[in-house]
Amino acid sequence: MIIEVIVCRPDGTQETEQREVPEDWFPSAPEISEEPAE
Amino acid sequence: MASTNKTANLALNQWVLTDPFLMEDMNADNQKIDAALGAVALAKLLDVTTSANAQQVDLDVSSIDFTKFSSIKVIASIRVTPLGTAQQLFGRINGAGANIREIFSSSSSLPLQTYAGYGFVCSTDGPCSTLELELTGFPAATTAQYLVALMSHGSSLLNGSFWRHDYVGMKLFDANVKLSSFSFLTDNSSVNIKAGSRFEIYGVRK
């Protein structure tokens, strides 16, 4: 799939580019199993 | 003769019209400034607030010499759109191909992950989802292989509660592989990291 990526650099510049990534690029979400912090 | 007046902290020259303007004085001032900046322990290496939405934000750090630092802290203060369709934020090092060894002490196995840390996505709009990555262990460039130790802290307000997730890991680098990028994305390809998200990197000098 094609995704939009913003590339940021130390000099403060940023640019948007399109990038082809594998279908499984976005990680699977670990389960939320613990209690929220107080 | 140097200038009539001096600055308060470094005694840098402050000329008046009748003072001679000498190259030696200017060079001495520059030496003082260089020495003073070099002695500051904490260096801001990157500070960018995004100006557009995107599914992923990359921080290109290929120009930074990390061997000058004993520790690096990356702070991502992230907003997403649309709300309610992504649950997790992820931070990656050198793209998804960089396997991170998870090192929870209670685990007998050491699973490999494609991310260096994760946190939760805030359920309301605002910069209330923060993912911090701390890296230590940068060696001299001549080291054949080295480990970078990772600690991530993900914090957010999720459905009215404060959530925090700490993650410990390590990454094995070859000497010819530089730390070149940090990437941030969610668990949902239809979700954008919203314009106005801020990304900062600080380094503690050796």
Side-chain angles (χ1 to χ4, degrees):
Chain A
M1 72 181 131
I2 305 291
I3 65 169
E4 297 274 339
V5 179
I6 294 182
V7 180
C8 303
R9 298 189 175 83
D11 63 3
T13 60
Q14 56 185 287
E15 59 187 47
T16 302
E17 62 184 43
Q18 290 194 328
R19 192 178 299 169
E20 183 164 12
V21 298
E23 292 299 319
D24 61 353
W25 182 253
F26 290 84
S28 302
E31 295 289 329
I32 296 177
S33 57
E34 61 258 79
E35 292 296 316
E38 294 297 329
Chain B
M1 188 185 87
S3 66
T4 300
N5 300 317
K6 305 288 183 184
T7 61
N9 293 311
L10 295 179
L12 302 174
N13 288 293
Q14 297 283 278
W15 288 272
V16 299
L17 285 175
T18 54
D19 290 336
F21 190 82
L22 302 176
M23 180 181 69
E24 290 82 357
D25 294 338
M26 179 65 80
N27 285 342
D29 283 356
N30 288 338
Q31 290 287 351
K32 289 179 184 176
I33 295 168
D34 188 66
L37 287 176
V40 175
L42 196 63
K44 181 184 279 189
L45 304 175
L46 182 147
D47 187 353
V48 177
T49 299
T50 56
S51 57
N53 296 346
Q55 289 144 294
Q56 178 174 310
V57 174
D58 281 5
L59 311 183
D60 179 354
V61 294
S62 58
S63 63
I64 298 173
D65 180 4
F66 287 104
T67 64
K68 294 179 178 177
F69 301 96
S70 58
S71 176
I72 298 293
K73 185 161 191 169
V74 184
I75 305 171
S77 302
I78 292 175
R79 306 170 68 170
V80 302
T81 184
L83 291 170
T85 51
Q87 190 178 51
Q88 301 277 352
L89 291 170
F90 293 92
R92 282 175 165 161
I93 297 176
N94 286 5
N99 290 325
I100 305 295
R101 188 71 76 175
E102 189 177 2
I103 50 172
F104 286 113
S105 59
S106 59
S107 174
S108 57
S109 62
L110 298 173
L112 285 171
Q113 307 289 0
T114 63
Y115 48 81
Y118 66 94
F120 305 129
V121 174
C122 189
S123 54
T124 58
D125 194 20
C128 54
S129 303
T130 302
L131 182 58
E132 301 176 17
L133 303 178
E134 296 178 17
L135 290 75
T136 57
F138 302 104
T142 53
T143 307
Q145 280 191 320
Y146 57 96
L147 283 171
V148 170
L150 307 167
M151 170 65 83
S152 85
H153 314 283
S155 304
S156 77
L157 285 169
L158 179 63
N159 299 324
S161 297
F162 175 70
W163 290 76
R164 179 180 175 93
H165 192 283
D166 298 319
Y167 178 92
V168 181
M170 59 186 183
K171 166 66 184 163
L172 180 65
F173 281 87
D174 292 326
N176 59 348
V177 177
K178 288 183 62 178
L179 172 56
S180 59
S181 70
F182 297 98
S183 301
F184 295 91
L185 68 170
T186 71
D187 57 355
N188 189 327
S189 62
S190 65
V191 172
N192 279 309
I193 294 176
K194 196 175 179 180
S197 297
R198 184 181 181 189
F199 299 85
E200 303 157 85
I201 303 178
Y202 299 91
V204 178
R205 287 195 176 93
K206 288 181 177 174

